[in-house]
Amino acid sequence: MSALRAGIIGCGNISGVYFEAGRKFEAFDVVACADMVPERSRARAAEFEGVESRTAEALLDDPAIEIVINLTIPAAHAGIARAALEHGKSVYTEKPMAIRKEDGRALLDLARISGKLVGGAPDTFMGAGIQTCRKLIDDGWIGEPVAATAFMLSPGHERWHPDPGFFYKPGAGPMLDMGPYYVTALVNLLGPVARLSGATRITRSERTITSEPLYGEKIEVEVPTHLAGVLEFESGPIGTIVTSFDVWHHELPRIEIYGSEGSLSVPDPNSFGGPVKLRRAGAETWTEMPLSHGYEEQSRGLGVADMVYALRSGRPHRASGELTFHVLDVMLSIEESSESGRHINLESSCTRPAPLPLGLAPYTLDP
């Protein structure tokens, strides 16, 4: 399969792994990049041979670039994705796909009209750890799934991030920042959510940065910093999710799935590997299970590569627009439920992503 030419818009911290992915995966090559701060774009182009620094407009106008990898800040995600589709390109966006439901819906509509593909991060659910969990569930190791828990608890990012202010602004917070990993993993394992309820709070209206170079500066908090949701999946299980920037310490799991015949401990959904642990009914201890799939190492870019295979073959892609929009719908509806004091019936749904085949050659997605 010939490599597809890709361009990256947004050359911040996360962009490096996508430039590297363009070297590793056979599906695509990163040939151009752009950033609102031109120095960032030029620095990345100098770092990676064969990449040209351009303006965003020049990148979008290039007919040879077929896919845009959108790594801008969350508030800009929808606008850049829309521009890419309007220029006749498919687009893969870092999480979340947008910060408003109406923008996400509009992107899906535009993709259908244009005949191009839209999708986005996270693609960690395609890694060895969660794909192994998917196989164990599908093969019946825990029986019928009954319930799930998911916890992302931390004291916040102002202690270590060099510029943490945006984590407390619209489009971020613990749910939209980290929730995509957890909700996407749950949807991959159990299918889409039908109904939910939520509760949220802002614990501190102001945060003080204790990292460099902005030590001592204040952040006005504009989004909830502790969110809890009860998720009712279409397939029957009931899930509990909590994301927080207000918790100093805890001993809770990241994700666990509970079935009629046992329990499954799911690894960190922000990573690609294990460990995966299983405890069947009547067992006295947990057993660490061997990983059934590849991509145990840092493999961001899997979702882009999978989209390219879909473009070439016509098959569905896994990190699809429908999946990323459903995840956005779940996350925003938790806050909507808290504000309205009622259950929310999800308007969106999605097809559960197909599992990856076993025995794939490194950096390929199809046999």
Side-chain angles (χ1 to χ4, degrees):
M1 181 179 71
S2 60
L4 180 149
R5 293 166 63 88
I8 289 176
I9 299 181
C11 296
N13 289 338
I14 193 64
S15 66
V17 295
Y18 285 94
F19 283 101
E20 290 286 355
R23 292 176 165 183
K24 295 176 180 177
F25 286 96
E26 66 173 14
F28 68 98
D29 291 328
V30 177
V31 299
C33 63
D35 193 279
M36 63 182 297
V37 180
E39 291 79 10
R40 290 181 192 161
S41 175
R42 289 194 288 266
R44 286 301 193 193
E47 184 179 355
F48 294 94
E49 184 178 356
V51 177
E52 180 182 345
S53 174
R54 305 179 184 176
T55 65
E57 292 76 12
L59 189 155
L60 291 170
D61 284 338
D62 186 347
I65 293 177
E66 297 181 62
I67 189 167
V68 170
I69 304 172
N70 178 12
L71 308 181
T72 55
I73 61 173
H77 283 176
I80 294 296
R82 182 175 59 252
L85 291 168
E86 290 173 344
H87 281 77
K89 305 180 191 307
S90 296
V91 58
Y92 181 93
T93 299
E94 252 301 332
K95 49 81 184 171
M97 74 176 302
I99 63 174
R100 302 189 307 165
K101 292 182 187 181
E102 52 265 43
D103 291 333
R105 289 192 198 97
L107 290 175
L108 296 184
D109 291 341
L110 183 55
R112 281 190 287 267
I113 293 169
S114 67
K116 301 301 177 181
L117 295 184
V118 61
D123 55 8
T124 47
F125 74 94
M126 297 167 64
I130 294 177
Q131 286 295 307
T132 298
C133 294
R134 170 70 180 267
K135 181 169 176 54
L136 289 168
I137 292 172
D138 290 354
D139 289 352
W141 283 77
I142 63 169
E144 178 186 356
V146 173
T149 55
F151 299 99
M152 194 300 297
L153 310 176
S154 81
H157 295 348
E158 63 271 22
R159 296 177 305 129
W160 60 271
H161 196 279
D163 188 13
F166 76 93
F167 289 108
Y168 299 94
K169 304 300 179 184
M175 184 59 76
L176 286 185
D177 177 46
M178 294 299 294
Y181 299 106
Y182 290 76
V183 178
T184 302
L186 290 172
V187 173
N188 174 63
L189 296 174
L190 299 174
V193 177
R195 190 175 80 148
L196 61 76
S197 59
T200 71
R201 61 175 284 168
I202 296 176
T203 299
R204 286 175 281 156
S205 61
E206 186 178 81
R207 300 271 177 144
T208 301
I209 300 174
T210 57
S211 60
E212 296 295 347
L214 303 177
Y215 183 91
E217 291 192 13
K218 306 294 184 181
I219 303 169
E220 181 183 354
V221 178
E222 300 179 27
V223 293
T225 51
H226 189 97
L227 304 93
V230 176
L231 314 179
E232 301 174 42
F233 291 86
E234 290 182 11
S235 59
I238 296 174
T240 301
I241 183 169
V242 181
T243 65
S244 182
F245 286 163
D246 296 330
V247 175
W248 284 104
H249 309 290
H250 67 91
E251 293 183 339
L252 293 165
R254 289 185 172 90
I255 298 177
E256 289 184 346
I257 310 294
Y258 312 111
S260 59
E261 303 298 330
S263 298
L264 182 63
S265 175
V266 180
D268 183 355
N270 190 19
S271 66
F272 289 83
V276 173
K277 296 180 181 180
L278 177 73
R279 189 167 178 178
R280 301 261 289 168
E284 295 184 358
T285 60
W286 292 85
T287 299
E288 184 170 340
M289 304 297 288
L291 299 180
S292 57
H293 287 70
Y295 299 112
E296 184 177 357
E297 72 287 352
Q298 165 64 274
S299 299
R300 279 178 171 81
L302 264 173
V304 179
D306 189 62
M307 179 183 283
V308 174
Y309 279 85
L311 285 166
R312 295 292 192 244
S313 70
R315 68 158 173 80
H317 59 305
R318 293 174 175 88
S320 67
E322 289 73 20
L323 172 63
T324 53
F325 177 69
H326 183 62
V327 169
L328 178 68
D329 193 8
V330 169
M331 295 188 299
L332 293 178
S333 293
I334 289 174
E335 188 170 352
E336 181 183 341
S337 172
S338 179
E339 292 173 351
S340 67
R342 61 183 177 88
H343 283 90
I344 302 294
N345 292 306
L346 275 293
E347 297 180 10
S348 68
S349 186
C350 66
T351 301
R352 192 177 176 217
L356 265 67
L358 296 172
L360 291 174
Y363 301 109
T364 64
L365 273 298
D366 288 356

